[in-house]
Structure formats: C-alpha cells, structure tokens
Amino acid sequence: GASVAPVPGAAAPGTTATSAIERTGGTNVVLGGTHLVALGALLVVLTAGIAVLGFAALKRGENATPATATPTVEAGPVSGSPQVQPDQQAAVPAPTLPEPAPSEALPPPPSPAAAPPARNPASSSGPAAQADAAMRKAKAAPKPPEVVLPPEPLPAPAVEPPPPPIPEVAPITFKDVKVLVVQGKSMRDRDAVLRLAGDRLSVLDRSGQSEILSLPYSSIVQAFYSRSKQPRWKGPDGKDAVASVDLGKMSFFRGDRNWLILTTQADPVFIRFEDADLRAALPVVEERIGVKIQR
C-alpha cells in the first residue's frame, strides 16, 4: 500500500523504478506489500533458527555442566510460524549430573604417636601431676656436656724397704771349751773353741782352723744351762731329758760340770764351760743367739 510520489521528469506509467533511478541518479528504494511480507517471513525463519540453536546449546550445556535450576520459559507463538501444541513437544530428558571429579590426594591423618596425649582434667593438679611435669621438664632440659676426666694414675706398688743390714760386731771367742761329739754308740767330749760372729755360732777345733759344726742363731729353738755330771734339759713335751756321756775310767770320781744345751729341729748341741769362763760366757751367748737361757 505504499505510494511513490511522482518525480519531476519521471517516465510514464508502466516504466520500472530502476529506469527512473538510473535516469535521475537518486538513492530512494520503493518497497511494495509483497516485499514486506517476504521480509517478515525471513525474520520469522531467522527467529525460529535462533531458537532451535539456543535449545541445542542449552541441552549440550546441561550434559557438560552440573544441572542448575533453570526456569522454564514458554515461548509464545511467533507470528508467521506454525504453533506447536504442548502434547506435540518432544519430551525433554531429565538432566544428568556429571560424575564427581576424583578428589585430590589428601595428606594422611597424623599418626597416633604424634598426637599429644589427652590429659585428664581431674589429674591436672596434685602431687602426681607435679611430679610428672617435673619429669617432663627434666627430660626436655638439655643435658650438660659430660666432662670426661682423665683416669687417675695407679698408685705405685709399695716397695718394701730392704731389711737393715746386720750391724757388724766383733767376733767373740771362748777357748778351753768342750763339745760333745758322737763316737760309735756313745758321746765323748772334745777340746774346742767357741766363736760367736755375724749371724751364727761356730765350734772350731782346738787350733781354731777346722770347723766342727756351725749353727745359725735363727735355728736355735731353746737354750738350757745345767750344772750336773750328765747334761740335763727339758724336751718339747716338758719332760726331763738326760744325755749319756762317756766320762772315762775314773768318771765316778768326777763332780758336776757346766753344760750349755742348745735345742734345734735336729739333734741338740752340748757345750761345756770351765768355771772361770762361765760367768762371762752365758750373758754373751744369750745376747747373740736372742734366746733366753733357762736354768
């Protein structure tokens, strides 16, 4: 129903608008009713295509992303397009939830040994709790460095001093003594010389050159003096002991004599003194041998 105003100098009716435009050089476009109907149909088709593409995109988004509550919008009838009844609409499938993605690796739970022990509030005070706290403080406190002391030197072994040397004393000699010696089955006296020197008692022959016997002082057990015809002393059992001496043919005329008896682990030793030497000999012998002379 549009009308085009006549252009001055336009062609007669029946000629096309193109010819008029070409002749005048203008830019006006004249649309008729048919053109408008075609343009409207094109718009309807484009709108329907956009709706279809939007619907397809919506379905893809529901399958790829978690379902969200989307309000359903019912599109009204579009002019120039056939209406679709509700019973003719395709059933929209229920949205499917995507499978949950595998959870990231979580750190392992702390071990029971690392967890602090639970404290009993009832036992948080008292002697036991204080002792426990003191023990924990003692364990937590750093230990002082150990001081390693050098080992103490061992004491030197005690060295016993050597025995003092025996003082040298001048030897003492008594001449004109008699000593009993064994001859066969009897004992007879023999002229001798008594010598006390160093640590021993020696009996020499009359000349003083040959030694008859030698007796260390330490070997003498007991010492006895007897004034009798035969030597007399006490044995280890405490009983009297008598030695039998051969005094010769005229022995019954002889009187008592001075006998010194020295007992040892072996046989005793018998020495006879004259009366002139007796008083000087006994004290010296007793001092040198270190044994008291029993009378």
Side-chain angles (χ1 to χ4, degrees):
S3 64
V4 180
V7 178
T15 60
T16 62
T18 305
S19 301
I21 292 171
E22 290 176 358
R23 288 192 304 267
T24 62
T27 57
N28 294 328
V29 179
V30 180
L31 299 177
T34 306
H35 294 92
L36 292 176
V37 173
L39 182 60
L42 180 61
L43 291 176
V44 171
V45 171
L46 290 176
T47 303
I50 291 172
V52 172
L53 292 176
F55 182 77
L58 180 61
K59 288 187 64 177
R60 290 182 181 179
E62 289 177 352
N63 293 333
T65 58
T68 56
T70 304
T72 304
V73 179
E74 295 181 358
V78 181
S79 60
S81 62
Q83 296 183 357
V84 181
Q85 299 297 329
D87 55 354
Q88 295 178 357
Q89 295 180 357
V92 179
T96 58
L97 296 177
E99 295 182 358
S103 60
E104 298 181 358
L106 298 177
S111 60
R119 293 186 178 181
N120 187 2
S123 62
S124 60
S125 62
Q130 294 178 1
D132 188 12
M135 290 179 64
R136 290 183 180 179
K137 288 183 178 180
K139 290 181 179 179
K143 295 183 179 180
E146 297 182 358
V147 179
V148 180
L149 298 177
E152 296 182 359
L154 296 177
V159 178
E160 296 182 359
I166 299 175
E168 295 183 0
V169 294
I172 299 177
T173 302
F174 294 95
K175 296 180 180 180
D176 298 333
V177 301
K178 304 287 184 179
V179 61
L180 294 182
V181 295
V182 178
Q183 289 185 354
K185 294 182 180 181
S186 61
M187 299 181 66
R188 296 180 63 89
D189 54 0
R190 178 179 175 182
D191 295 337
V193 175
L194 176 63
R195 185 180 182 183
L196 302 171
D199 61 345
R200 63 187 52 248
L201 177 150
S202 301
V203 178
L204 308 176
D205 61 357
R206 190 171 184 176
S207 65
Q209 300 296 324
S210 179
E211 185 178 81
I212 299 175
L213 61 88
S214 179
L215 189 65
Y217 299 147
S218 59
S219 64
I220 299 173
V221 180
Q222 287 180 313
F224 297 91
Y225 164 72
S226 170
R227 183 171 178 82
S228 56
K229 187 177 289 188
Q230 302 286 351
R232 296 178 179 272
W233 74 98
K234 289 186 178 294
D237 55 358
K239 296 182 179 180
D240 293 340
V242 180
S244 178
V245 181
D246 184 4
L247 299 178
K249 295 180 180 180
M250 303 296 292
S251 59
F252 59 91
F253 290 109
R254 296 184 180 183
D256 295 337
R257 300 179 179 184
N258 302 311
W259 299 101
L260 176 63
I261 302 99
L262 304 175
T263 61
T264 64
Q265 297 296 335
D267 297 332
V269 176
F270 305 98
I271 301 174
R272 184 163 64 87
F273 291 92
E274 297 296 336
D275 293 340
D277 298 330
L278 180 63
R279 291 181 178 273
L282 292 182
V284 173
V285 171
E286 186 177 59
E287 180 184 359
R288 292 293 178 93
I289 67 177
V291 178
K292 183 176 179 57
I293 296 177
Q294 303 179 37
R295 299 177 180 271

